[in-house]
């Protein structure tokens, strides 16, 4: 197993165990199966295990397995505060204390503000005293490292990153999402501040493995290095020295063994020119089914009315290679929950965006088309309800 360093120099395995996708049996987590998989990963050198308050049964299962095998103090637990449910200082202690009980521990090694999507969420936490609370928990040793997980746009990611002295952060990042959400720009900004970055959705929930177009699978299979689709995706990430740890929701021994095998030899700056060519060709194959030829260059931005044009087109294009529900969820996270709305319905048709588009996309027409697909009436109503709940001051 290869290791990279935390902010204080402690070793973190480059492969982390994502505990959201444990196999269930009879409506609850199959503890015996999960135990075999976790112990196989532990014995292969994995020392970072990620869970969350809202992952049903996950914290309790992880705590039981670690206690049963006597390895709690030999690994790092990462779990998350459901910040979107917090409305008072008392709630901070209530959720945290419950997590400690579930995990059967007296401290959390890596604690995250869960699912941050916009700067105003951090502002709300500040209003309930989060900074003093964190300071108390760190002073007592109950929290060793503090961070946040993120699903918004690049600008708000950088804003939150700069708003506090974080020990680490967690972002969605893979070769398809290189320039969306926090993106490469956010990754590099974190590195400049010496903040370790943990990666989630490295293979987009398996979609960059099982749901690749057949043409892309054939291309990968034709290479003489023997890499699998998963291996290309993981090695692309580990090739970047700014990436500290990559989470994988492993729910089979075979998956654990394959990922640990790859993580035993993956090093930064080891990707060859040919490897990059293969990734570029795979991305091109994926893009062939896109509905709008947007490259995400953002030359069309800023929109005078605040419409996030690239984010809308990205989600619209997702509907051609993924489910509409996934694309709509992506849009809700990156755009729908921003403090200041950025919807296509705010467009006044000025045409400024089209004047700067290198792809000559008829943007004014296409954003209306995309909005009808991404935000049908039920979703508009749902986003408005969630906005009122999550963005309340």
């Amino acid at each position: 197993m290869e290791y990279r360093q935390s902010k204080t120099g402690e070793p973190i395995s480059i492969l982390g165990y994502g505990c959201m996708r444990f196999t269930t049996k009879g409506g609850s987590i199959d503890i015996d199966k999960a135990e075999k998989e976790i112990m196989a990963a532990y014995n292969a050198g994995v020392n970072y295990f990620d869970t969350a308050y809202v992952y049903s049964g996950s914290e309790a299962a992880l705590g039981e397995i670690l206690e049963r095998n006597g390895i709690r103090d030999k690994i790092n637990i990462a779990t998350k505060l459901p910040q979107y449910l917090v409305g008072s200082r008392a709630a901070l202690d209530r959720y945290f204390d419950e997590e400690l009980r579930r995990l059967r521990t007296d401290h959390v090694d890596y604690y995250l503000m869960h699912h941050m999507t916009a700067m105003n969420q951090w502002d709300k936490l500040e209003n309930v005293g989060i900074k003093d609370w964190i300071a108390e928990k760190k002073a007592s040793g109950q929290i060793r490292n503090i961070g946040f997980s993120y699903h918004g746009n690049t600008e708000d990611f950088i804003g939150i990153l700069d708003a506090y002295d974080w020990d680490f952060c967690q972002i969605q990042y893979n070769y398809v999402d290189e320039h969306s959400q926090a993106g490469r720009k956010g990754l590099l900004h974190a590195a400049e501040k010496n903040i370790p970055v943990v990666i989630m959705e490295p293979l987009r929930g398996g979609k960059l493995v099982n749901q690749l177009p057949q043409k892309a699978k054939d291309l990968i299979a034709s290479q003489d290095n023997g890499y699998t689709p998963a291996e290309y995706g993981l090695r692309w990430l580990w090739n970047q020295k700014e990436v500290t740890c990559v989470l994988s929701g492993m729910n089979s021994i075979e998956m654990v063994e394959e990922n640990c095998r790859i993580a035993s030899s993956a090093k930064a700056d080891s990707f060859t020119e040919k490897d990059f060519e293969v990734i570029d060709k795979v991305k091109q194959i994926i893009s062939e089914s896109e509905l709008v030829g947007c490259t995400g260059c953002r030359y069309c931005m800023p929109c005078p009315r605040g419409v996030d044009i690239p984010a809308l087109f990205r989600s619209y294009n997702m509907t051609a290679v993924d489910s509409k529900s996934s694309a709509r969820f992506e849009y809700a996270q990156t755009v729908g929950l921003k403090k200041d709305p950025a919807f296509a319905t705010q467009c006044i048709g000025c045409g400024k965006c089209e004047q700067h588009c290198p792809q000559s996309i008829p943007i004014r027409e296409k954003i209306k088309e995309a909005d009808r697909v991404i935000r049908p009436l039920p979703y508009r109503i749902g986003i408005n309800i969630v906005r009122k709940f999550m963005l309340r001051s």
Side-chain angles (χ1 to χ4, degrees):
M1 180 64 60
E2 292 287 318
Y3 296 86
R4 295 182 185 175
Q5 292 185 336
S6 71
K7 198 172 183 179
T8 57
E10 298 166 337
I12 299 177
S13 55
I14 63 170
L15 175 64
Y17 204 116
C19 299
M20 185 175 73
R21 295 188 174 96
F22 287 142
T23 301
T24 58
K25 182 173 68 174
S28 59
I29 290 173
D30 186 339
I31 292 286
D32 293 337
K33 181 174 182 293
E35 180 176 16
K36 291 183 177 68
E37 292 156 359
I38 282 179
M39 292 309 297
Y42 167 75
N43 289 326
V46 173
N47 70 0
Y48 189 96
F49 294 81
D50 172 270
T51 182
Y53 181 86
V54 296
Y55 298 169
S56 180
S58 175
E59 288 179 324
L62 180 62
E64 179 179 342
I65 291 167
L66 297 180
E67 182 180 68
R68 185 187 297 178
N69 290 274
I71 61 171
R72 165 62 188 99
D73 293 329
K74 298 178 182 179
I75 58 92
N76 298 297
I77 291 176
T79 195
K80 309 177 187 77
L81 172 78
Q83 54 81 21
Y84 34 81
L85 301 177
V86 170
S88 67
R89 171 67 180 258
L92 295 172
D93 283 320
R94 184 169 68 252
Y95 288 119
F96 184 70
D97 291 344
E98 183 177 352
E99 290 182 301
L100 292 182
R101 288 193 295 273
R102 290 177 177 180
L103 290 162
R104 307 187 187 192
T105 187
D106 61 359
H107 72 279
V108 175
D109 304 284
Y110 291 85
Y111 198 57
L112 303 97
M113 307 294 104
H114 194 195
H115 205 286
M116 302 287 278
T117 61
M119 189 68 202
N120 63 289
Q121 292 173 320
W122 176 245
D123 296 336
K124 186 186 77 171
L125 287 170
E126 281 195 283
N127 289 337
V128 300
I130 191 69
K131 288 183 176 179
D132 288 342
W133 184 83
I134 292 171
E136 290 175 8
K137 295 302 179 185
K138 292 188 78 171
S140 69
Q142 288 182 293
I143 293 176
R144 306 290 171 84
N145 298 273
I146 195 72
F148 66 99
S149 66
Y150 189 78
H151 283 286
N153 63 29
T154 307
E155 291 72 23
D156 278 353
F157 171 76
I158 290 174
I160 295 172
L161 200 69
D162 289 345
Y164 185 73
D165 185 20
W166 301 102
D167 296 312
F168 72 113
C169 63
Q170 183 171 311
I171 64 173
Q172 177 171 318
Y173 187 61
N174 51 67
Y175 64 74
V176 170
D177 292 320
E178 184 176 6
H179 300 296
S180 65
Q181 298 203 22
R184 181 157 179 78
K185 182 178 179 181
L187 175 71
L188 295 178
H189 188 72
E192 289 171 1
K193 296 171 70 70
N194 193 34
I195 297 176
V197 181
V198 177
I199 304 300
M200 56 184 157
E201 299 294 345
L203 302 173
R204 269 191 160 269
K207 293 181 178 64
L208 298 183
V209 180
N210 302 319
Q211 295 181 30
L212 280 178
Q214 189 59 47
K215 186 177 177 181
K217 292 180 180 179
D218 292 343
L219 171 66
I220 290 173
S222 70
Q223 305 306 308
D224 57 12
N225 56 19
Y227 290 176
T228 63
E231 190 157 1
Y232 267 108
L234 294 174
R235 286 187 181 274
W236 181 86
L237 287 164
W238 286 322
N239 186 68
Q240 301 168 65
K241 64 182 183 298
E242 299 85 4
V243 169
T244 304
C245 177
V246 175
L247 299 177
S248 177
M250 298 175 281
N251 55 16
S252 73
I253 290 294
E254 293 75 20
M255 192 182 300
V256 171
E257 291 175 345
E258 178 184 12
N259 289 356
C260 289
R261 173 186 62 78
I262 301 166
S264 69
S265 62
K267 298 181 183 298
D269 301 319
S270 62
F271 232 43
T272 66
E273 184 176 339
K274 182 63 180 296
D275 293 332
F276 281 114
E277 289 177 0
V278 171
I279 291 292
D280 287 342
K281 288 178 181 177
V282 169
K283 290 168 69 174
Q284 179 60 41
I285 292 169
I286 293 172
S287 72
E288 288 172 358
S289 58
E290 291 180 344
L291 303 171
V292 182
C294 175
T295 64
C297 70
R298 301 189 75 83
Y299 286 0
C300 58
M301 300 295 286
C303 166
R305 301 295 294 178
V307 180
D308 194 333
I309 299 165
L312 174 58
F313 284 159
R314 171 175 172 71
S315 296
Y316 186 37
N317 282 330
M318 276 183 65
T319 65
V321 295
D322 204 337
S323 66
K324 286 184 179 179
S325 60
S326 294
R328 289 166 178 165
F329 184 68
E330 169 91 1
Y331 186 72
Q333 290 187 114
T334 57
V335 177
L337 300 181
K338 285 175 61 67
K339 182 178 182 180
D340 298 317
F343 302 126
T345 45
Q346 294 162 211
C347 173
I348 58 172
C350 70
K352 180 181 176 182
C353 53
E354 294 180 5
Q355 296 171 19
H356 299 286
C357 178
Q359 313 303 320
S360 299
I361 297 169
I363 294 175
R364 287 172 290 183
E365 171 191 339
K366 286 294 183 181
I367 62 171
K368 293 177 183 178
E369 175 186 308
D371 190 60
R372 285 194 295 270
V373 173
I374 294 299
R375 282 201 312 150
L377 183 59
Y379 274 76
R380 292 190 186 195
I381 295 172
I383 287 176
N384 287 337
I385 292 172
V386 175
R387 280 177 60 81
K388 289 179 182 178
F389 174 70
M390 292 189 69
L391 303 183
R392 68 189 189 281
S393 58

